[in-house]
Amino acid sequence: MRLRTDDVVVITGAASGIGLALARAFCARGLAAVMTDVRADRLAAAADRVRSEGGTVTPVVADVSKADEVERLAEQAVAAYGRVDVVCNNAGVSPPPAAAWTIAEETWRWSIDVSLLGVVHGIHSFVPAMIERGRGHVLNTASVGGLVPVPGLAPYSAIKHAVVGLTETLAAELAEVAPGVGVSVLCPGVVATELARSSRDTAPEGLDFTTFISGDVAPPTRRSDSVMDAETVAAITLAGIEADTLRIVTHRDSGPLIRRRLVSLEADLPA
Ligand SMILES: NC(=O)c1ccc[n+]([C@@H]2O[C@H](COP(=O)([O-])OP(=O)(O)OC[C@H]3O[C@@H](n4cnc5c(N)ncnc54)[C@H](O)[C@@H]3O)[C@@H](O)[C@H]2O)c1
């Protein structure tokens, strides 16, 4: 979707990292941004930063794992700006690395609630109005971990695969009923953000983040990845939205990992 200066974007997980970089990039293009996050203090500081750069922003505290809070977010965005043209379902968490068979159900549920159902709630609350208007764009943040396995991060990889599948399915459905509503899934490799720290800060009581924070356990795909800054990810993402790219893969060194998976998938097909 070609962005216009009077467009309105809603970004979840906008208090830091990729979400904040997206808000800055959209505002630099003249859009108004509704920035939302579960961490009120960090969100206020992030919104002040974007405002100081000349951006028009409205911060709204909301927990994406809660359907009613995302619905209220949509109502507040419409009350402030009249409509929403772009929604970025970006908020996500990453539990500490561990073998799949050792990960507690509580950890799975927390990850699914935020990183998968958070995207589902965004689709529920924003897509119907876009279909009605016949114009809009949905950006869901997955990861290269949604295209290839990430040993050590089973919930993260499983959920990001689900976000890729959900987004591709949504794209196929919208192509039928509302071809003017574009859909993209963002699949970055490693990005220099505070994901580990903010996941620890927003996690339910009792999860152990020691290994993740110290970086003692690094999944194999991460060791070979380059680390990109969030501003570069945001610039690639806006270009991807404007080109209506379905899968926005940011890191060149994700290519060999994805090709290896495609080759192994091909090898498993019946003759
Ligand atoms: N950093 C990476 O290497 C990387 C790579 C690929 C994909 N991603 C994805 O990018 C997205 C953004 O992460 P980031 O790296 O910018 O990390 P980040 O921690 O800087 O940003 C994530 C934001 O989401 C917020 N958040 C957490 N739980 C929430 C909830 N329940 N409701 C609303 N907001 C909530 C956090 O407070 C935080 O501000 C995530 O979906 C993440 O999985 C990150």
Side-chain angles (χ1 to χ4, degrees):
M1 184 182 93
R2 198 74 206 156
L3 299 172
R4 298 178 188 154
T5 51
D6 64 343
D7 277 342
V8 179
V9 58
V10 171
I11 305 157
T12 71
S16 68
I18 296 169
L20 172 55
L22 284 172
R24 295 176 66 208
F26 279 116
C27 286
R29 290 285 304 273
L31 282 80
V34 177
M35 299 171 64
T36 183
D37 204 282
V38 74
R39 295 182 299 169
D41 50 340
R42 300 292 302 263
L43 178 63
D48 283 348
R49 178 175 176 183
V50 183
R51 264 195 215 106
S52 75
E53 295 171 348
T56 301
V57 299
T58 300
V60 175
V61 177
D63 180 343
V64 296
S65 70
K66 303 203 163 68
D68 58 335
E69 294 196 18
V70 179
E71 193 54 36
R72 192 174 46 84
L73 164 70
E75 287 164 10
Q76 286 183 252
V78 171
Y81 299 108
R83 63 179 196 284
V84 175
D85 302 288
V86 183
V87 62
C88 301
N89 296 308
N90 168 76
V93 292
S94 183
W101 56 92
T102 66
I103 296 171
E105 187 175 327
E106 180 199 24
T107 302
W108 278 94
R109 285 196 189 283
W110 165 60
S111 306
I112 291 167
D113 283 349
V114 178
S115 305
L116 178 56
L117 289 180
V119 177
V120 172
H121 296 150
I123 291 170
H124 277 158
S125 295
F126 292 97
V127 169
M130 290 179 181
I131 294 173
E132 213 165 283
R133 283 201 319 281
R135 181 174 179 272
H137 201 96
V138 182
L139 175 84
N140 296 331
T141 302
S143 162
V144 69
L147 299 169
V148 301
V150 189
L153 294 179
Y156 191 81
S157 190
I159 289 162
K160 295 305 191 183
H161 274 75
V163 172
V164 171
L166 167 62
T167 311
E168 292 189 3
T169 305
L170 178 69
E173 292 172 354
L174 287 176
E176 292 292 318
V177 299
V181 181
V183 182
S184 302
V185 60
L186 175 60
C187 299
V190 180
V191 186
T193 70
E194 297 189 1
L195 183 60
R197 205 163 291 280
S198 58
S199 297
R200 182 197 58 187
D201 292 350
T202 58
E205 292 284 310
L207 286 180
D208 176 15
F209 275 82
T210 328
T211 48
F212 201 21
I213 295 294
S214 70
D216 287 345
V217 179
T221 52
R222 299 215 154 200
R223 283 189 210 116
S224 62
D225 265 348
S226 57
V227 179
M228 193 175 271
D229 60 73
E231 289 68 31
T232 306
V233 172
I236 294 170
T237 304
L238 263 64
I241 290 173
E242 294 213 281
D244 276 320
T245 306
L246 176 55
R247 302 166 205 90
I248 303 174
V249 180
T250 54
H251 291 47
R252 294 189 72 84
D253 52 10
S254 295
L257 299 170
I258 295 167
R259 274 187 209 102
R260 201 183 310 153
R261 173 163 165 92
L262 291 176
V263 168
S264 101
L265 185 60
E266 180 85 39
D268 289 344
L269 296 180

